[in-house]
Structure formats: C-alpha cells, structure tokens
Amino acid sequence: MKLAFYPGCTLESTAREYLDSTIAVAKAIGIELEEIPDWICCGSTPAHMADELLSISLPAYNLQLARRMDTEGVTVACASCYSRLRAANHAVTTDPEKRAKVGKVLGGDYEGDVPVSHLLEPVGEIIKQPGFESRLKQKLSGLKVASYYGCLLVRPPEITGFDDAEDPRSMDRVVEAVGAEPVDWRFKVECCGAALAFTRPEIVEKLSGQILEDARDSGADIVLVACPLCHSNLDLRQCDIEKFLGVDLEIPVLYFTQLLGLALGISCKELGLHKHTINPVPILRKRGITVKGC
Amino acid sequence: MRRSSRVTDHKMGSAGFLEQVEADSGEKVRICYQCGKCSAGCPVAYSMDLLPNQLMRLVQLGLKDEVLSCSTIWLCASCETCATRCPREIGIARVMDALRHMARREHYPVQVREVPLFVSTFISNLKRFGRLWEAGFVGVFNLRTGHLTKDMGKAPGMLRKGKLALLPPRIKGMDKIRKMIKRVEEVNRQ
C-alpha cells in the first residue's frame, strides 16, 4: 500500500515522536509513505475562524500537490489536519461556487477527488489481515488502555465519515490487536479544549482534567491518542492540570503508533517514548512489557 | 455570569441579520426549535454568557448587537459536538465561524481578546513561513497578549527533547505560496 503522507506542522516539532513512530511502524507493517513535497500548513482552526475561503484553499493546495503523486490517496496522522483536508474535499464537491473560488485562488480547478484517510484507517486494514499476529514480537497483555478519539477525527460525521461519531472503536481494535486490554470509558469523544490552551488555558485544564480523571477512574494505565493537539493538552499540560485540579494524575499518554511499535519490537528511541512529559516506561515495564533501549 | 439577562428587554431585531448569517454560514438557523441539545453537549457552555441554543434564538430574532458582542462566539472550541447532535442538522459550529467573521468585520468589541490575537498571529506566521513555526508563534503571541511567561517553563524540556525548532521551517516556492494566499483576499473582494 503506497500513500501520500501529509505530516502537518506539529509532527515536525512538538509531536516529533508521533512522526518518528509513524515512520517506523509504517515501514514495519508494509505501508509505504511518501511525504507530499513542500506541503504547507492546513490552516487548522485559526484559518476557519478567520476566513472560510482561506480554510478551504490551504488544504486544497496540498491535495493538488498530492494529486500529482502516484499513490492511492493521502493519509494524515493529525486529526486536525485530517479534518481540514476532508472539509476542503467536502466543500468543493458539494458547492460549485466554492469550487470555482478555490480554483481561482489555486490558479487551477481542484475537483476534490484526492481521497483522504486518517492513518488509523490504513493501519486498521492491516491489523485485521489474517496472520498479523505472527508479526508481533510481544503481546502487551495486562496493559489497560483508554483510547481517546477527541473531536476532529469523528466530527462532524458528514465531513470525516470516520467510524462511529459517538462510539468509535478503531483505536480500541489496535489495542486488541497488540494483546492489550481496551477499557470502556465515558470521555472518548469529549473535547480536550483544543486551541483554548493558548487563549483560555483554565478551560483546557478543566476539560482535559475530566478526560484524564475518567481514564484513571476506569482503570486505564495509559491513554492512547491519534492527534498531536490532544497529546499536547493531555501530556505536555498534565502538570498544569494536576495543579488546577489539586490531584496527582501521572497518566502516560501514548500515540497509537507507539503502542503498535512496542508490540512490533521497535526500540524506545525510534518510537520517541522518551519524549513525553509523563514517562510511560515504568508502567509499561510493570505490566511485563519489554521496552528496548530506554 | 450574565446568562440570559441581556435578552429580557424587548428590542426590535436588526433587519436582515438572520438572512445574512444564513447566507454567510450556509446553515438554516431559522429551523432551530430550541431543543437545547447543543447546549447540553457543549463542553465550554459553562463559561459562555449565552448558551449555544440561546445564541441561535437571538439570531432568529435578529438581535445582532447581543449576538456579535457575546463571549460565546470566541469561547466556542469548534469541537463540533453541537453540529453532530443537532436534530435539525444545523451546522452550529459553522454559524459560530460566520458570526466571528461578521463581528470582526464590523468591529464589535471582543470579550475574549486573546482569541482574535491567536488567530491573526497564527495566520501571519503561516503566511510568512508556509508552515507553522511554533516557537516563533508562541513568542509573538505572548508578546501581543502581554502574557510573556505563558508556557515558557515548558520550553527547556521541549528543546532538550528536540520538540521545539529554534529556526523556522524552510520550504521551496514560498513566493508562489504567498501569492496564492494573497489571491484569497482578492477573490473574496470580487
């Protein structure tokens, strides 16, 4: 399977470990990722808050770049970029006036015909293939995992079309595939507060705090995410959350690619497990999981 | 919190406001029947001066000044829970976007001043480098808001872990990209 890869801005910096683990895992399970050359920012939340045409044109520009590549479509690791790329396709395919305007901005028509998936989708295809289990170097049995989907992967469903908007299971299937135990919990699609981290941090501390507390109360050892922005709020800001709530949480937050990588025997360094604020290695070892090279 | 208190005086609605919001957002605000599901699911509702369903009602009534000067439009996190659950299938988050654009265009006072600063700092960073340069973005944003030390305690650890680029990203063809972004304004004016 060969896919054009749109990393997005955060994977080059704050979510470096998501990029590293994505590349390592894709290679190990046979997904060929070719980065879109000279891709630009998707505009994220600020673009749609500022100007609708800008918010469609930026992703459409990237999709036009991807169209020239010989791949089966674009795959995205960040839920926010994923949502913006899908929204651009949705806008130009459902609204001829918007398509005409975007065409003028880009200097060429974009039909909205480049398929966009979130990385969880091609990974989901591979883990359900018969014999996948034999590729695992270890089973992560005993590790309890709360899969956190957040907002933009699943909402709005008419744009993302991803899994079930209220009760998604795609990440839980990754958890099951590596022999770990998915926990049932209430906050899997609640909002972490997103970009309010910059503008109203106390809202993020409350919302992300509720998510982490519910994960803990549901017996989870770790929280699993598929979005660098969710990760930043839940991991990087966890100390602020603890102060705000007046509690100790210490819940490691991993990317689903890192969990998969651990089972595939990829080293700690390649997966970037040492880059989190809350160190996941002690609980992983406590559950009998081999973590190489940390 | 002054939730619905400001709605009590029975002013005349602003003519054409509902129609304008509907045209800008592409959403039929008029079909909202006030079930309240948007407000029930909204994670940020607790901090808003107008609940999302109240906002929808005020738009229907044409109460433009109340709508465009509320905190709700700036606190909305764009999480899309409201739009996903609305039984009338109104894209409420898109309505929020349209209201923000209108409030800025018409120079309404902004209750949460950090939000438009966040947006404009992000966009100018993106126009300059093509990709977001996070270190530069946070630096300029903190300068503009006056919260100089915000998140600075996290920087050394992130630098050590290679999670913060000190230099901006470089991509080929920035001239072309800048021109493309400029055309957005031109096409919008047409």
Side-chain angles (χ1 to χ4, degrees), chain A residues 9-10 12-14 16-17 38-41 43-54 57-58 61 98 101 104-107 151-152 155-157 165-166 191 193 195-203 206-207 236-237 240 274-277, chain B residues 24 41 43-44 46-47 73-81 83-85 94 97 100-101 111-112 114-115 118-119 122-123 126 130-132 134 137-138 141 150-151 154 158 161-165 169 171-172 176-177 180-181 183-184 187-188 190:
Chain A
C9 306
T10 51
E12 293 203 317
S13 54
T14 46
R16 185 77 222 183
E17 66 272 34
D38 292 306
W39 54 270
I40 61 169
C41 174
S44 194
T45 302
H48 74 72
M49 285 175 101
D51 185 291
E52 200 201 5
L53 183 57
L54 179 68
S57 301
L58 295 169
Y61 175 87
K98 279 179 195 159
K101 282 185 176 179
K104 278 187 197 165
V105 171
L106 300 183
C151 306
L152 298 175
R155 288 192 295 268
E166 298 286 359
C191 177
L196 288 166
F198 292 100
T199 53
R200 278 287 182 270
E202 71 282 4
I203 293 179
K206 180 179 158 82
L207 302 187
L236 186 63
R237 298 183 186 278
D240 300 335
H274 57 298
K275 289 184 189 278
H276 298 310
T277 307
Chain B
D24 288 2
V44 200
Y46 77 96
S47 67
I73 56 175
W74 301 109
L75 291 170
C76 160
S78 306
C79 78
E80 300 273 2
T81 305
T84 302
R85 294 179 183 169
R94 291 168 62 106
D97 270 339
R100 285 189 272 256
H101 302 162
Q111 283 204 48
V112 191
E114 289 85 356
V115 177
F118 168 78
V119 170
F122 189 103
I123 304 285
L126 151 64
R131 295 179 190 168
L132 182 71
E134 285 173 317
F137 164 73
V138 172
F141 177 70
K150 188 182 180 303
D151 292 332
K154 297 179 181 71
M158 290 174 75
K161 290 174 186 162
K163 294 179 78 164
L164 200 59
I171 51 175
K172 274 185 250 156
K176 233 179 75 190
I177 292 162
M180 186 264 294
I181 295 174
R183 275 200 298 276
V184 170
V187 175
N188 271 334
Q190 282 168 13

Side-chain angles (χ1 to χ4, degrees), chain B residues 6 11 14 17 50 58 62-70 106 108-109:
Chain B
R6 53 164 89 192
K11 288 181 199 166
S14 177
F17 179 55
L50 290 171
L58 295 198
L63 295 176
K64 186 175 178 179
D65 291 348
E66 284 77 356
V67 168
L68 296 184
S69 57
C70 70
E106 302 189 20
Y108 274 83

Side-chain angles (χ1 to χ4, degrees), chain B residues 30-70:
Chain B
R30 69 187 65 213
I31 66 171
C32 166
Y33 52 30
Q34 290 294 305
C35 70
K37 213 170 179 181
C38 49
S39 302
C42 175
V44 200
Y46 77 96
S47 67
M48 293 169 164
D49 54 0
L50 290 171
L51 295 173
N53 71 300
Q54 292 177 323
L55 189 75
M56 298 299 280
R57 185 71 187 126
L58 295 198
V59 174
Q60 288 176 338
L61 293 172
L63 295 176
K64 186 175 178 179
D65 291 348
E66 284 77 356
V67 168
L68 296 184
S69 57
C70 70

Side-chain angles (χ1 to χ4, degrees), chain A residues 77-150:
Chain A
C78 166
S80 179
C81 303
Y82 166 72
S83 146
R84 293 324 305 164
L85 266 58
R86 298 275 308 187
N89 272 349
H90 186 263
V92 297
T93 50
T94 56
D95 189 333
E97 200 183 320
K98 279 179 195 159
R99 178 170 158 185
K101 282 185 176 179
V102 170
K104 278 187 197 165
V105 171
L106 300 183
D109 185 38
Y110 173 60
E111 291 171 43
D113 55 346
V114 177
V116 176
S117 63
H118 184 277
L119 185 63
L120 263 171
E121 295 169 288
V123 166
E125 288 300 312
I126 287 176
I127 60 171
K128 72 178 183 203
Q129 283 168 4
F132 175 75
E133 215 183 304
S134 65
R135 294 157 87 167
L136 300 181
K137 296 283 189 294
Q138 66 174 334
K139 285 216 152 196
L140 312 183
S141 20
L143 185 72
K144 292 187 174 176
V145 184
S147 294
Y148 174 62
Y149 299 83

